[in-house]
Amino acid sequence: MPPRVLASATVPRQRGGGVRPAREAVPGRWWTGPWATALGPALLASGLGLWGVTRQGSMWRDESVTYQVAHRSVRQIGRMLAHVDAVHGVYYLLMHALFQMWDGGLTVLRLPSVVATAAAAALVALTGRRLAGHRAGLASGVVFALAPLVQMYAQEGRSYASVGALVALATYLLVRALDGGGRWSWAGYAAAAAAAAWLHEFALLALVAHGITVLSAGVPRAVRRAWCVAVGAAVLAVAPLAVFSTGQSDQVSWIAGPDVAQWAGIAGVTALGVGCAYGVARAAGADAAGAGPVSPARLGLPLLIAPTALLLAAAAYRPMYVDRYVLYSYVGLALVVGRALDLLLAYRPARDTPRARRWSRLGVRAGVALAVLALLPVSLEMRTPDSRKDDVAAVAYTVRRMTAHGEADGMLFMPARRREWRLSYPGAYRGLRDLALRRGPVRSRTLEGVELPAPVIRQRVLGARRIVALTDPGDQPLDMSRQEAVKREVLGRFFVQCARVPVQGAQVVLYARRGDCPARRPGPGPGRMAP
């Protein structure tokens, strides 16, 4: 059996007070056993995920894509994946199976992410426990569950929370394998990594981070060889999807790269992780960072930094970075911050420590508690419709309210990709003719359908009396395609605006021929349709 290469959970006590040894599980103490370590973070993540899971009945456009694709037949999904969105194909099929068993609307749409986040929190806790003891594991799991971005995607009808759970599983199995877990641990590691990448290919970047850990840990050559074999197996398993999806790379052409706020967020999270790792090393010496080659910092920092750095570096070819694509990097952050909290909370002043120092340590613990409380406003905001880019349910309600008495006979989506607003709430658009549509999403085997040529769109728009236009907010860049230019030109020359209702991330505008605006002009009002 390979030698143990993990860090000891015991930290030497410093003279004059300092960090006490981290307690390992003691037989008979169920509250320090592995299940106890994992259960607390899992329950916390479950509670946070279920709290306000319907988000006041709102749904944003990416979730709408999941909802409408998952409600197609397996054959229809397969035909669509041959043309678009193959990278999410496995997730769509899993959601289709779930909706077949229980078509429970928004709750069912988001429930897999809630469960996945709870599982990830438990796995982070178990990983931290294996590296640094029960208290460090518990703290790591809690940090992961409380992270704002983790909370956000725990209530998202997309695959990112599930990817994070599988990367957390792969990370835990890597630690087991490095600890002499044998070939079954390596096989499980390869399977978990491959499964994560089949849900989203960028999960493979986690293997780069794991490689940094393995290669820098000074483990035996046999262990490095076993890791290379496992990674090779995972990459080969995902290769067909990766090769096929390169033909659909235009799907990410919308990515513009991080803005100033996102750069600040990346820098802040990275600084937090690096600062905690440095603080651990300074607080209790090198042994606190890890008495063996693998420590929370050595495992966590590469996972926190490397995937994000690689996506940012890819901007030289094409912008690829979106924070949810590397949500699993918070597994690394939680391990590092959890270890730092473990040392802070483990500190006990010696009897000869001055009273002022006692109060300072009490202040540190109070600061940790205040930091947790400071997350409450963020947690509340994450559960409102305003936390997402748009609100498909509110758009549908506004359209229904604007056209309830036959005020319009046609509709336009500007740009065409906003047709996704309609697909999960078709009843709200009943009676309105889609003037630009050539073939619907199912027939065209696409996500939003295929539009007519610009001259035909022009003819159809000119033949309408009143039109509802669904557009992006005014501060968004215009789509310069020929079809979109024709829509804007004809509406601007031959129609007037009768009503404009702003909705979260959208505008619903009623156009009519000059002198033909309806007497009833609906204004803004709260409300959402049910899918």
Side-chain angles (χ1 to χ4, degrees):
M1 178 177 292
R4 296 177 66 89
V5 297
L6 298 184
S8 168
T10 303
V11 178
R13 187 172 182 170
Q14 297 183 354
R15 296 183 72 181
V19 179
R20 287 182 175 178
R23 289 186 178 181
E24 292 293 336
V26 177
R29 289 183 175 176
W30 62 266
W31 60 88
T32 59
W35 283 106
T37 307
L39 187 61
L43 290 176
L44 175 62
S46 298
L48 290 172
L50 293 173
W51 168 32
V53 69
T54 61
R55 211 161 56 241
Q56 302 176 26
S58 65
M59 179 196 297
W60 80 290
R61 56 179 177 252
D62 278 18
E63 291 183 301
S64 178
V65 170
T66 298
Y67 188 84
Q68 59 98 356
V69 171
H71 281 81
R72 301 185 191 185
S73 69
V74 172
R75 186 178 182 182
Q76 290 170 344
I77 295 174
R79 288 177 172 176
M80 184 203 76
L81 297 178
H83 296 84
V84 68
D85 237 16
V87 69
H88 295 298
V90 172
Y91 179 70
Y92 291 147
L93 291 170
L94 291 173
M95 291 302 297
H96 170 82
L98 182 59
F99 277 118
Q100 289 294 302
M101 293 185 289
W102 177 25
D103 197 349
L106 294 176
T107 299
V108 174
L109 177 67
R110 293 167 186 155
L111 191 59
S113 293
V114 175
V115 174
T117 303
L123 288 163
V124 169
L126 291 173
T127 304
R129 172 194 173 86
R130 199 168 184 96
L131 293 174
H134 165 72
R135 186 172 46 226
L138 189 63
S140 297
V142 169
V143 168
F144 181 83
L146 290 175
L149 203 65
V150 171
Q151 290 191 56
M152 180 174 181
Y153 288 103
Q155 296 185 330
E156 189 93 349
R158 298 295 280 174
S159 64
Y160 307 109
S162 299
V163 173
L166 287 168
V167 171
L169 175 60
T171 302
Y172 173 72
L173 291 172
L174 173 65
V175 172
R176 283 185 61 94
L178 293 176
D179 200 17
R183 63 183 61 183
W184 285 110
S185 293
W186 287 117
Y189 171 72
W198 269 94
L199 284 179
H200 199 282
E201 294 169 20
F202 287 166
L204 288 176
L205 299 178
L207 300 182
V208 177
H210 291 164
I212 295 173
T213 298
V214 171
L215 296 177
S216 66
V219 297
R221 181 177 298 177
V223 175
R224 296 198 300 271
R225 187 183 303 118
W227 177 80
C228 289
V229 170
V231 169
V235 171
L236 284 175
V238 183
L241 174 63
V243 172
F244 183 79
S245 63
T246 55
Q248 302 175 357
S249 59
D250 286 344
Q251 279 190 267
V252 295
S253 60
W254 58 270
I255 300 177
D259 56 23
V260 174
Q262 290 172 324
W263 275 113
I266 294 168
V269 169
T270 303
L272 176 61
V274 173
C276 285
Y278 178 76
V280 167
R282 288 293 302 269
D287 286 335
V294 181
S295 66
R298 182 160 286 173
L299 179 65
L301 283 181
L303 191 55
L304 170 62
I305 297 172
T308 298
L310 289 170
L311 283 186
L312 292 173
Y317 164 69
R318 169 181 284 177
M320 303 288 281
Y321 175 81
V322 181
D323 56 5
R324 56 184 178 268
Y325 291 171
V326 287
L327 179 66
Y328 56 80
S329 64
Y330 277 78
V331 173
L333 178 69
L335 290 171
V336 177
V337 176
R339 180 57 172 149
L341 288 174
D342 170 37
L343 295 185
L344 280 175
L345 298 173
Y347 180 82
R348 298 292 187 275
R351 292 182 179 179
D352 59 349
T353 301
R355 180 174 296 181
R357 191 170 181 181
R358 291 176 184 269
W359 280 106
S360 69
R361 294 302 176 185
L362 182 62
V364 168
R365 297 177 188 179
V368 171
L370 289 174
V372 173
L373 289 176
L375 293 175
L376 182 59
V378 180
S379 297
L380 291 171
E381 195 273 338
M382 290 292 182
R383 288 156 178 83
T384 66
D386 292 343
S387 64
R388 271 46 176 198
K389 290 183 178 179
D390 58 12
D391 185 351
V392 178
V395 171
Y397 175 84
T398 303
V399 171
R400 183 73 280 168
R401 189 166 176 264
M402 183 177 283
T403 62
H405 301 284
E407 286 85 354
D409 54 355
M411 60 181 168
L412 289 171
F413 295 91
M414 304 167 60
R417 59 183 176 273
R418 295 297 170 253
R419 188 169 283 104
E420 64 211 6
W421 288 339
R422 174 193 180 191
L423 300 178
S424 295
Y425 300 88
Y429 300 83
R430 190 173 294 115
L432 297 175
R433 184 188 182 194
D434 193 336
L435 299 174
L437 186 63
R438 180 177 184 178
R439 290 193 305 274
V442 175
R443 283 189 57 204
S444 63
R445 305 173 186 180
T446 62
L447 292 175
E448 296 100 14
V450 175
E451 294 208 332
L452 293 160
V456 181
I457 293 176
R458 179 186 180 87
Q459 181 181 2
R460 285 193 174 187
V461 174
L462 288 173
R465 177 187 173 195
R466 295 177 183 150
I467 298 171
V468 172
L470 295 98
T471 74
D472 284 335
D475 60 351
Q476 295 298 304
L478 294 176
D479 187 317
M480 302 308 295
S481 68
R482 190 177 176 189
Q483 285 99 327
E484 299 303 325
V486 163
K487 294 174 191 177
R488 292 192 297 268
E489 184 261 332
V490 174
L491 289 176
R493 287 184 59 190
F494 300 100
F495 292 80
V496 294
Q497 289 187 19
C498 302
R500 177 184 293 268
V501 181
V503 187
Q504 170 65 15
Q507 296 182 104
V508 182
V509 187
L510 178 61
Y511 287 91
R513 295 285 188 170
R514 288 179 174 84
D516 196 23
C517 284
R520 175 183 171 274
R521 300 190 183 186
R528 288 174 184 85
M529 300 289 292

